[in-house]
């Protein structure tokens, strides 16, 4: 009887998940209206247009807004699985099912493997903080694959590698999760499986359809997106007569004009420095706990997101998903960074779509929103890096240097 009660899903989790997801569906189907631009138009216009091109047997070769790895075609074409619905409606329902898959994966691990329910709560509460955008982009589908990879990492490193590669061929960022793989056999199996899977998918896509890797050349002339960390420079500069412009460019609203190339280069430099820090951490790490793969994955995704010259609202979906896996583990050190990510998610919803006009105008309200949101992301990133380093480098080395108590030393010197 006690076992049954322990494994029974808590009613509160189910009720909150159902209520919040019902609200999200009502938003994307237009029953409930949210202030700001219509975020669903990307699905009904852009995604639908891409699907029409993909069905002809080629990638969108002449569309610079197509900036995704070849397996993204699967997500864009997925509404065909529900032929009785029009494209946008089918997409929203499939995004909802991906959300449900993450919820039940997290719940299963929490209940059957004795993990902490707080990780499930992070997903249940955190995702709706971003509003209807989560069902109007395919990022929730990618996040489902990434969460599955992280959950498989401890017991099935090869499966984790395969899933990570699938996620990376959908939208690149899941490859970052490999940085936290336990050194030794687990790393060899996971990284090897990931490399073989990625090569296989890339080869099939390249042979099956022209233009599988055209996306690699479509980002050369990008500016600095108005929601990014570097964009704060231009939000302030506009108040002092900066002569640049804000316009739709490569599928996002970006700053274009003097010094934009410099700020974009600096952002890319910060990304390189962040990855250099991750490599140094991996070389210096002395202890690998059960939470380390997820904690390191969150650090990697935070570094990538915060330093990027583009921080789209849907990027926060990635962070919420990885954060949820982290807090399944009671020994995770990421509690504070996760809270900061959740706070940043709420502010992200306020800046897009609710008050996006203020952000584009760089007025006082828009500037404050971007200062708060990006400040929270910077704080989360620095805190997560510090906590990961302390847990896996500083504290283990300190323990190694601490001499054993004299009694324990004497006992160890006695021959068996």
């Amino acid at each position: 009887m006690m076992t049954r009660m322990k494994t029974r899903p808590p009613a509160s989790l189910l009720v909150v998940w159902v209520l919040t997801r019902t609200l999200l569906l009502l938003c994307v189907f237009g029953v409930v209206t949210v202030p700001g631009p219509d975020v669903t138009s990307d699905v009904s216009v852009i995604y639908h247009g891409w699907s029409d091109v993909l069905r002809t047997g080629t990638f969108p070769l002449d569309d610079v807004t197509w900036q995704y790895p070849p397996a993204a075609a699967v997500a864009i074409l997925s509404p065909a699985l529900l032929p009785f619905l029009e494209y946008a409606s089918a997409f929203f329902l499939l995004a909802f099912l991906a959300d449900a898959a993450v919820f039940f994966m997290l719940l299963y691990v929490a209940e059957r493997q004795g993990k902490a329910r707080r990780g499930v709560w992070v997903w249940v509460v955190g995702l709706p903080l971003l509003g209807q955008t989560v069902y109007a982009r395919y990022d929730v589908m990618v996040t489902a694959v990434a969460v599955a990879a992280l959950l498989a990492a401890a017991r099935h490193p090869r499966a984790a590698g395969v899933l990570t590669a699938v996620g990376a061929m959908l939208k690149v960022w899941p490859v970052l999760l490999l940085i936290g793989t336990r050194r030794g056999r687990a790393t060899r199996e996971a990284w090897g499986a990931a490399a073989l899977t990625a090569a296989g998918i890339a080869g099939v896509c390249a042979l099956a359809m022209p233009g599988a890797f055209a996306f690699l050349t479509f980002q050369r002339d990008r500016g600095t997106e108005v929601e990014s960390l570097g964009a704060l420079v231009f939000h302030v500069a506009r108040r002092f007569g900066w002569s640049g412009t804000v316009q739709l460019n490569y599928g996002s609203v970006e700053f274009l004009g003097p010094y934009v190339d410099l700020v974009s280069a600096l952002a890319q430099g910060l990304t390189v420095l962040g990855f250099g820090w991750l490599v140094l951490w991996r070389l210096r790490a002395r202890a690998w706990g059960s939470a380390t793969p997820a904690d390191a994955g969150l650090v990697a995704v935070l570094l990538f997101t915060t330093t990027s010259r583009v921080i789209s609202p849907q990027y926060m979906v990635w962070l919420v998903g990885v954060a949820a896996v982290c807090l399944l583990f009671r020994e995770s050190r990421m509690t504070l960074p996760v809270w900061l990510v959740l706070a940043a998610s709420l502010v992200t919803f306020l800046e897009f779509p609710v008050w996006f006009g203020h952000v584009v105008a760089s007025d006082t309200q828009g500037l404050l929103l971007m200062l708060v949101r990006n400040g929270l992301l910077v704080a989360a990133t620095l805190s997560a890096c510090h906590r990961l380093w302390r847990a896996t480098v500083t504290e283990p080395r300190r323990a190694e240097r601490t001499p054993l108590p004299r009694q324990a030393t004497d006992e160890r010197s006695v021959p068996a």
Side-chain angles (χ1 to χ4, degrees), residues 352-367:
F352 184 89
V354 178
W355 289 317
F356 191 58
H358 293 282
V359 174
V360 173
S362 300
D363 63 18
T364 301
Q365 185 172 338
L367 178 59

Side-chain angles (χ1 to χ4, degrees), residues 25-298:
L25 287 171
L26 291 174
C27 289
V28 292
F29 281 109
V31 179
V32 175
T33 303
V34 176
D38 178 16
V39 304
T40 64
S41 61
D42 278 15
V43 176
S44 57
V45 178
I46 299 175
Y47 283 15
H48 197 181
W50 287 341
S51 73
D52 289 340
V53 174
L54 290 165
R55 282 201 298 269
T56 67
T58 182
F59 286 90
L61 295 172
D62 300 318
D63 187 348
V64 294
T65 63
W66 175 262
Q67 299 166 13
Y68 309 106
V74 176
I76 301 302
L77 290 169
S78 62
L81 296 171
L82 303 175
F84 49 87
L85 294 173
E86 58 92 19
Y87 183 90
S89 298
F91 185 91
F92 299 148
L93 287 179
L94 290 171
F96 163 77
L97 291 176
D99 171 14
V102 175
F103 171 62
F104 286 108
M105 281 191 290
L106 294 169
L107 187 60
Y108 177 86
V109 171
E111 299 301 309
R112 295 300 178 92
Q113 297 182 19
K115 303 299 183 184
R117 286 178 181 171
R118 61 179 184 163
V120 191
W121 277 112
V122 168
W123 181 256
V124 170
V125 176
L127 198 68
L129 292 178
L130 294 164
Q132 69 273 30
T133 301
V134 299
Y135 287 172
R137 304 290 187 272
Y138 82 92
D139 295 80
V140 69
M141 303 175 184
V142 183
T143 302
V145 178
V147 167
L150 276 177
L151 294 177
R155 301 184 180 186
H156 308 286
R158 285 196 183 93
V162 170
L163 289 167
T164 300
V166 171
M169 296 305 288
L170 283 167
K171 206 166 185 179
V172 180
W173 70 267
V175 73
L176 299 171
L177 303 179
L178 291 172
I179 194 69
T181 309
R182 187 182 295 272
R183 285 199 295 248
R185 180 178 176 181
T187 289
R188 292 191 297 272
E189 291 181 354
W191 291 19
L196 290 173
T197 303
I201 294 174
V204 169
C205 290
L207 292 173
M209 297 170 65
F213 297 97
F215 76 98
L216 293 173
T217 63
F218 285 167
Q219 296 200 35
R220 257 179 295 185
D221 299 322
R222 292 204 70 154
T224 293
E225 194 255 351
V226 296
E227 297 166 88
S228 66
L229 182 62
L232 289 171
V233 173
F234 301 109
H235 283 299
V236 174
R238 291 177 82 183
R239 294 168 168 265
F240 297 93
W242 179 68
S243 60
T245 61
V246 177
Q247 61 185 15
L248 187 65
N249 188 49
Y250 290 83
S252 64
V253 181
E254 298 181 350
F255 284 114
L256 299 173
Y259 307 109
V260 170
D261 289 342
L262 173 61
V263 172
S264 296
L266 290 173
Q268 291 171 318
L270 282 176
T271 301
V272 172
L273 287 175
F275 289 159
W277 183 91
L278 284 170
V279 172
L280 177 64
W281 164 78
R282 187 169 174 87
L283 294 173
R284 299 285 297 276
R286 306 293 287 266
W288 232 269
S290 59
T292 303
D295 286 357
L298 179 61

